[in-house]
Amino acid sequence: MNTTRPRPGVSGVASADRVLTVLTAFRVGDAALSLAELASRTGLIKSTIMRLVVSLEKYGLVTRLADGNYILASEVVRLNAVYQDSHDVGRHIMPRLEHLTNESGETASYYVRHGAYRLCQYRVNSPHRLRLHLQPGDMRPMDKAAGALALQTPYEVAEAGIDPYYSCGATDPHAASVALPIYDAQEELLGAVVISGPANRLNLERAESLYPILREAADELTRSLGGKPLYGTGQPETKRRKG
């Protein structure tokens, strides 16, 4: 009796390769990709891409917009959270956010760049009843808010010396925030630490009083993630940047 097991076909592997080719076609800085752009980046024909996208949509990895373009979807955020947790990033970030909230009484968050948006990756809510309602995984525009400005700051600018960014009414007319960017050992931007609250409570004077604890938290987080602290005492004073 021939007990040799049949060899598995390669069609499944080939299909998986094509699905991953589409998924990895998305790059940092992409807002959305058209079918033509996906075809150009993957080398696949449009009809094949459309079939593959059905599977990606089924598993929440890609979403087709009303205009026919495609963006990465919420499952990518979940997988990123799993990745970050496996690398203990959250264990570095959350204690700093908890400390900021305890010291300031306001909400503390950690944002990362997500294409044309900023993604709230970690958050510790203010104990006040009146606070901003936003959860980890929510995305906001890259506008003139403090967190967005921090996520657009080149390392050389931060190294030269900056004050925390402050904004009021940039995204929400009733909200204010103060933020600093975080970098890794390769001087690449990792994210931004943000303190936010109602505009009538977190005015500029109140925000300035929080600059020292925000600088301290940013430096501690940068150091724990392998980067060079930038915001300690002795840094040169520069003109404050306002959103």
Side-chain angles (χ1 to χ4, degrees):
M1 178 183 295
N2 184 2
T3 59
T4 303
R5 294 181 179 178
R7 296 180 62 185
V10 297
S11 58
V13 175
S15 295
D17 285 347
R18 288 196 293 268
V19 168
L20 293 174
T21 298
V22 173
L23 188 61
T24 55
F26 291 88
R27 302 168 186 166
V28 174
D30 288 337
L33 294 180
S34 67
L35 188 59
E37 288 173 317
L38 285 172
S40 175
R41 292 187 183 184
T42 63
L44 300 172
I45 62 175
K46 293 180 181 179
S47 59
T48 297
I49 294 173
M50 292 179 70
R51 288 197 301 271
L52 297 173
V53 166
V54 171
S55 295
L56 291 170
E57 285 186 296
K58 177 182 177 182
Y59 286 93
L61 294 163
V62 168
T63 295
R64 186 176 187 271
L65 302 176
D67 61 5
N69 290 336
Y70 298 91
I71 61 170
L72 294 178
S74 58
E75 180 64 9
V76 176
V77 176
R78 188 190 69 81
L79 291 174
N80 180 62
V82 173
Y83 168 81
Q84 296 290 357
D85 186 63
S86 69
H87 285 72
D88 290 334
V89 174
R91 296 174 189 175
H92 292 286
I93 295 172
M94 286 301 292
R96 272 78 185 187
L97 297 186
E98 290 168 356
H99 176 72
L100 284 175
T101 295
N102 289 337
E103 290 293 313
S104 69
E106 303 295 350
T107 295
S109 307
Y110 182 79
Y111 280 82
V112 296
R113 187 75 180 261
H114 185 70
Y117 299 88
R118 50 192 167 101
L119 168 70
C120 179
Q121 195 169 51
Y122 299 96
R123 189 174 181 88
V124 177
N125 284 317
S126 165
H128 293 291
R129 282 188 174 185
L130 180 60
R131 64 190 186 204
L132 304 181
H133 296 282
L134 193 69
Q135 299 302 322
D138 287 348
M139 288 191 286
R140 309 290 271 175
M142 289 295 292
D143 50 19
K144 297 298 182 180
L149 295 174
L151 289 173
Q152 299 176 73
T153 304
Y155 179 83
E156 306 78 51
V157 173
E159 186 180 36
I162 60 171
D163 281 341
Y165 291 93
Y166 172 77
S167 66
C168 183
T171 306
D172 182 329
H174 306 294
S177 57
V178 56
L180 279 172
I182 304 296
Y183 305 88
D184 64 13
Q186 287 71 48
E187 302 178 0
E188 295 292 330
L189 181 71
L190 290 176
V193 175
V194 182
I195 298 175
S196 57
N200 62 355
R201 197 166 65 220
L202 189 60
N203 55 31
L204 178 57
E205 182 180 3
R206 171 61 176 152
E208 288 178 332
S209 73
L210 299 177
Y211 285 3
I213 64 169
L214 183 63
R215 288 193 182 102
E216 181 183 15
D219 271 349
E220 288 180 353
L221 180 56
T222 298
R223 187 182 295 108
S224 68
L225 294 175
K228 170 188 173 184
L230 298 174
Y231 309 118
T233 56
Q235 292 292 324
E237 292 295 327
T238 61
K239 184 178 179 180
R240 182 175 302 108
R241 302 167 181 268
K242 300 179 183 178

